[in-house]
Amino acid sequence: MVLQVQVEDPPVYRVETKLGKGGFGQVYVGRRVSAVNKNEKAGAGAVEVYLGFFLIHICLNDLSVI
């Protein structure tokens, strides 16, 4: 299964190698699917980026309803 992620507008990234994990989530390498310049290393057009997926845990017992 190939997982793709889109953040805001156009850039779509294919989730690749898992780099690590910690108490808040996991970090993967993301490769831009729709890259214009395949050699772009940094900035908004970067072909390869770090994608962080964070787990948000909410305990409903701790919430107050007003």
Side-chain angles (χ1 to χ4, degrees):
M1 176 175 78
V2 176
L3 178 63
Q4 292 187 350
V5 177
Q6 183 172 0
V7 181
E8 293 185 12
D9 286 331
V12 175
Y13 298 94
R14 184 176 60 245
V15 178
E16 294 185 346
T17 310
K18 182 177 180 179
L19 298 175
K21 67 178 184 175
F24 291 105
Q26 301 176 7
V27 178
Y28 292 83
V29 171
R31 185 163 306 277
R32 191 170 177 163
V33 174
S34 56
V36 175
N37 181 355
K38 301 286 184 183
N39 297 319
E40 190 80 31
K41 301 267 185 211
V47 175
E48 196 171 85
V49 297
Y50 298 120
L51 298 172
F53 296 97
F54 300 96
L55 176 65
I56 299 173
H57 177 77
I58 298 174
C59 181
L60 296 178
N61 292 333
D62 294 339
L63 296 178
S64 298
V65 178
I66 299 174

